[in-house]
Amino acid sequence: AQTVTQSQPEMSVQEAETVTLSCTYDTSESDYYLFWYKQPPSRQMILVIRQEAYKQQNATENRFSVNFQKAAKSFSLKISDSQLGDAAMYFCALTGRDDKIIFGKGTRLHILP
Amino acid sequence: GAVVSQHPSRVICKSGTSVKIECRSLDFQATTMFWYRQFPKKSLMLMATSNEGSKATYEQGVEKDKFLINHASLTLSTLTVTSAHPEDSSFYICSAGGAGEPYNEQFFGPGTRLTVL
């Protein structure tokens, strides 16, 4: 079975600072993909960043980057220059051959002005 | 980007009635759609996989007779909550995937809030 664990229910960061959200996962598949999704108050799921497990290079999307440690099954999200609009629920997620997305429990991120 | 719609966005119904929620892929054909349930301040829980032209496959613990799924075309999947009860009140989200490479990226609908009185 695939599992995704987020151990930080809530986090706060000062505006313009950097914050890192943690995530660990477990899967028996060799080909899989990892994601970070953002869910703002509107509850629309927004894909923030994606990492292919076969790629060693960490994915980056503007202010968002990941630290993918495959051996440790760790996949953290770093948000640089935090903005008020980054406040949301963030879900770490995993998918394999069957396309099912398994989500972690989420981390609520607060941005302090 | 690919757009997925859900209808209705919110629905209120009486206990014992059935409610149908539609999930449509607007600008692509979805070979697979997924239905999730999200309780307040909780994560998304996968309910079932909807495959066009075949029976849905349900996750363990999900009552298939309670949550009927029909994927009649490559752009439409429906979730019917039968004989709804207050404990069925929740936020239901669908996702639709195309036939992309190297994997079928999932695109999420905006969700449907169901309240059963």
Side-chain angles (χ1 to χ4, degrees):
Chain A
Q2 296 179 315
T3 60
V4 178
T5 302
Q6 292 178 253
S7 57
Q8 304 154 315
E10 288 194 61
M11 291 192 73
S12 296
V13 63
Q14 209 74 35
E15 193 177 2
E17 295 296 308
T18 297
V19 64
T20 299
L21 280 56
S22 301
C23 172
T24 58
Y25 64 93
D26 194 21
T27 179
S28 58
E29 298 193 26
S30 55
D31 292 330
Y32 56 92
Y33 299 84
L34 294 160
F35 311 93
W36 279 97
Y37 282 93
K38 172 184 178 181
Q39 188 180 43
S42 68
R43 304 190 79 167
Q44 173 71 58
M45 297 295 286
I46 301 167
L47 178 63
V48 174
I49 199 164
R50 173 181 66 234
Q51 175 79 42
E52 292 88 343
Y54 61 86
K55 289 187 177 180
Q56 291 186 335
Q57 188 172 6
N58 290 325
T60 303
E61 287 288 341
N62 301 313
R63 297 183 295 109
F64 300 88
S65 61
V66 299
N67 183 0
F68 175 44
Q69 300 292 323
K70 191 172 184 178
K73 294 185 176 176
S74 169
F75 183 61
S76 61
L77 174 69
K78 185 171 81 172
I79 305 174
S80 303
D81 185 25
S82 298
Q83 300 175 0
L84 294 177
D86 295 334
M89 196 75 169
Y90 286 82
F91 293 101
C92 180
L94 165 70
T95 190
R97 284 193 306 271
D98 58 8
D99 295 337
K100 295 180 184 179
I101 299 179
I102 305 301
F103 290 90
K105 290 187 176 181
T107 297
R108 182 166 299 282
L109 179 64
H110 303 277
I111 309 297
L112 306 174
Chain B
V3 179
V4 176
S5 70
Q6 279 185 244
H7 178 78
S9 58
R10 55 179 62 199
V11 56
I12 301 172
C13 69
K14 292 183 178 179
S15 187
T17 61
S18 294
V19 175
K20 181 184 286 187
I21 302 170
E22 293 186 348
C23 176
R24 292 182 185 274
S25 57
L26 298 185
D27 49 4
F28 68 102
Q29 293 185 327
T31 54
T32 309
M33 290 183 174
F34 296 94
W35 287 96
Y36 297 86
R37 182 174 182 176
Q38 186 177 31
F39 290 104
K41 298 184 179 181
K42 298 292 185 183
S43 186
L44 282 73
M45 181 191 77
L46 179 64
M47 298 175 65
T49 303
S50 175
N51 298 297
E52 187 269 337
S54 63
K55 289 184 178 180
T57 54
Y58 293 81
E59 296 300 303
Q60 191 172 12
V62 178
E63 300 177 60
K64 60 180 69 175
D65 294 331
K66 158 69 82 174
F67 300 101
L68 300 179
I69 292 172
N70 188 318
H71 195 151
S73 76
L74 285 172
T75 59
L76 174 64
S77 175
T78 59
L79 168 68
T80 300
V81 183
T82 63
S83 186
H85 290 283
E87 56 265 32
D88 298 326
S89 298
S90 192
F91 194 68
Y92 293 88
I93 302 174
C94 73
S95 71
E101 291 291 338
Y103 78 106
N104 297 330
E105 182 173 353
Q106 295 294 314
F107 301 94
F108 287 84
T112 296
R113 183 180 301 280
L114 170 63
T115 303
V116 184
L117 302 176

